Amino acid sequence: MTTNTIDTKRAGSITESINEAEAARTRLDFAKSAPKVFRAIVGFDAAAREGLDPALVELIQIRASHLNHCAYCLHMHTNDARKAGENEDRLHMVAVWREARHFFTDKEQAALALTEAVTLVSDGGVPDEVYAQAAAHFDDQELAHVLALILTINTWNRVALATGKVAGTDERR
């Protein structure tokens, strides 16, 4: 029988590795170096989330972070999703949601498809059918907030990647 106990030796080495990676980081601290810009992004992010289901917010942020290869944000938002009550099965399926549609509602699928199209906009824009599907599931205000959320997570991913943020070092705490 398998148990869900944490290997303390391994957990200690992960913590040590995170601390070593953070100590080795030589890039600027964006929040300290551009505090007005940082606060503006925080405000944009907070406004984008208004009125949206917290679980949907995290699914969108997780999918964009997958696409952008942002380990820092992926770690942060999977933890936030768990705190919001998201289950492990769905978290594991976000990256392959098209093959695991039965894990997600039609509304969530529309949001994930829009997230992919906007995040990968240089690959062909936002197809009319993707936009129409999202518009069928969200009213105009919700859709605007979903789009704003997609824009903010893409901004956060780029900040984290450009400044060398280390996964496991959530600085909000």
Side-chain angles (χ1 to χ4, degrees):
M1 180 170 165
T2 306
T3 61
N4 289 332
T5 58
I6 296 173
D7 178 347
T8 55
K9 182 177 178 184
R10 182 169 168 238
S13 68
I14 290 171
T15 301
E16 290 169 16
S17 295
I18 289 169
N19 291 339
E20 288 172 16
E22 180 63 13
R25 187 171 60 106
T26 59
R27 296 187 183 186
L28 68 84
D29 182 328
F30 188 80
K32 287 182 182 173
S33 298
K36 281 181 75 173
V37 176
F38 185 81
R39 285 192 305 273
I41 300 170
V42 168
F44 182 28
D45 186 277
R49 294 165 183 261
E50 286 182 13
L52 296 178
D53 173 20
L56 180 65
V57 167
E58 298 307 330
L59 292 176
I60 289 168
Q61 293 180 123
I62 289 166
R63 186 63 189 130
S65 297
H66 282 142
L67 295 169
N68 288 320
H69 305 280
C70 184
Y72 177 82
C73 293
L74 185 58
H75 184 264
M76 178 188 304
H77 293 296
T78 53
N79 283 336
D80 289 350
R82 285 183 192 96
K83 290 175 189 167
E86 193 58 75
N87 73 55
E88 292 297 317
D89 284 338
R90 283 173 37 102
L91 289 176
H92 292 294
M93 294 297 118
V94 174
V96 293
W97 69 270
R98 290 179 192 281
E99 291 77 29
R101 291 179 183 269
H102 56 285
F103 281 91
F104 304 98
T105 67
D106 290 344
K107 186 174 187 174
E108 290 167 337
Q109 290 177 50
L112 291 168
L114 186 62
T115 299
E116 289 178 356
V118 173
T119 299
L120 303 172
V121 71
S122 66
D123 289 350
V126 177
D128 289 339
E129 60 274 9
V130 170
Y131 184 87
Q133 191 65 27
H137 289 283
F138 297 96
D139 65 32
D140 287 351
Q141 183 177 2
E142 289 174 316
L143 184 56
H145 281 259
V146 167
L147 284 168
L149 182 68
I150 296 166
L151 299 175
T152 59
I153 188 56
N154 275 279
T155 299
W156 285 125
N157 289 163
R158 282 151 176 77
V159 168
L161 290 164
T163 61
K165 301 303 276 181
V166 175
T169 61
D170 185 348
E171 296 169 356
R172 299 173 302 169
R173 291 168 178 51

